[in-house]
Amino acid sequence: MPIASINPYTGRVERRFRAFSWPQTERILAQAHQAAAAWRTTTFAHRAQLMHRAAKLLRERQNELARIMALEMGKPVVDGRAEVLKCALCCDYYADHAAEFLADDIIETEAQRSFISHEPIGVVLAVMPWNFPLWQVVRFIAPALMAGNVGLLKHASNVPQCALALEKIYHDAGFPPATFRALLIGTDLIEKLIEDDRVRAVTLTGSEPAGAQVAATAGRQIKKTVLELGGSDAFIVLADADLELAAKTAAQARMINAGQSCIAAKRFIVEKPVVKEFISKLKTHLLAFRTGDPLAEDTQYGPLARPDLADEITQQVEDSIKQGAKVELHGGQSKPGTALFRPMILSNIKPKQRAYHEELFGPVALILEAKDTADAIRLANDSRFGLGGSIWTRNVKRGEELARQVEAGAVFVNSMVKSSPEMPFGGVKKSGYGRELSYLGIREFVNQKSIWIAKEEKPEKQKKVE
């Protein structure tokens, strides 16, 4: 795939980039490896000062960064600014808490003193997606730099200007240039980078096939990976839920980033007594969303990031309808090869349909009818994914009990699933492994070193000579 900014709203090529050659990429890797040796010796106070400066620059440049996201992948500028501010919050969070999160853990043993030290490992390669082109990167690079590591970014080929703008933020904040570099490379060089001994670990957010390939390559090299892959999050609506609030939030949860989010609600599992009323309310809220030019302030959702992505989800929908799914809200593409995809609702979702098993990465809400609460949990867990989920009920205690039964990395009760710096983020099953964010995230790529200091042996007193 060419490295280019192609506006999904207009179809116009905004800018093309020449991909880095391997010699050019290898030089940057060599510089990063050298910089890692020096960066690991810096203090948390020094790193925090620069990270707070990066947060300040993000806030100052929020309009410019939001515009780049709108042009490159169709995110409305209102949402783009919110993403930038969330990135700034993450930078401040790790600047404030890294020293605490990576402080020595004192362990009581028979030694005079024993503890676990959390030390940087060096160069970490990040392979990142286009859907949240700044947030996905910042939640990797902020903790990595604060831990004393350095980062190399292989961003998605359709958001090169986002990658370069973020690189400039950190350089302008005062981080040594080699501690964070954006590599404008194709997927063909990822394997060579992972196989190089100077790359110590890899983090990837993306598809199952990409995750499997990266993990296999890293595994052969005995290197740690963190994978955040797809999701088909369950949005469980029990019969006693506040249906109006649940339906309104359901529409918002399905329309996050025009439905292009791993943690967007995708499977709406509704108890039978309220399923018809829920569908009616959900339809009303989805129809109220306004589309248009992502650069316009009143646009609530834009096109999908690329026309081929809209073509793909259209095929998934058409196949599912042929397999028995029922259309409750018509929408979708106006014609093949266009990026705009209007919201849809499909019901009568059954196990033999593509919609039942696959992730639909766009604004298609899938309604699954549950006979009772136990059946709702069964349906929620009958998925190869396990990223996030939510439960809607007026009985909060019961909601918490059920949340423990859902196989997912995060479950929210009476709230939309979201990521935040304070809480760990990641999945189980085919949604990946490892965690980003919180204190767990910053500890993923450190050497958890045991240090043992023996007790001093006291010399025996010499016997008196008579």
Side-chain angles (χ1 to χ4, degrees), residues 293-314:
D293 187 343
L295 292 172
E297 293 290 334
D298 61 347
T299 295
Q300 292 180 298
Y301 74 97
L304 301 192
R306 300 192 312 263
D308 64 294
L309 299 170
D311 290 341
E312 182 180 344
I313 194 170
T314 295

Side-chain angles (χ1 to χ4, degrees), residues 105-111 113-116:
D105 292 327
I106 305 300
I107 308 295
E108 293 297 328
T109 67
E110 63 186 49
R113 186 165 181 259
S114 50
F115 58 93
I116 301 169

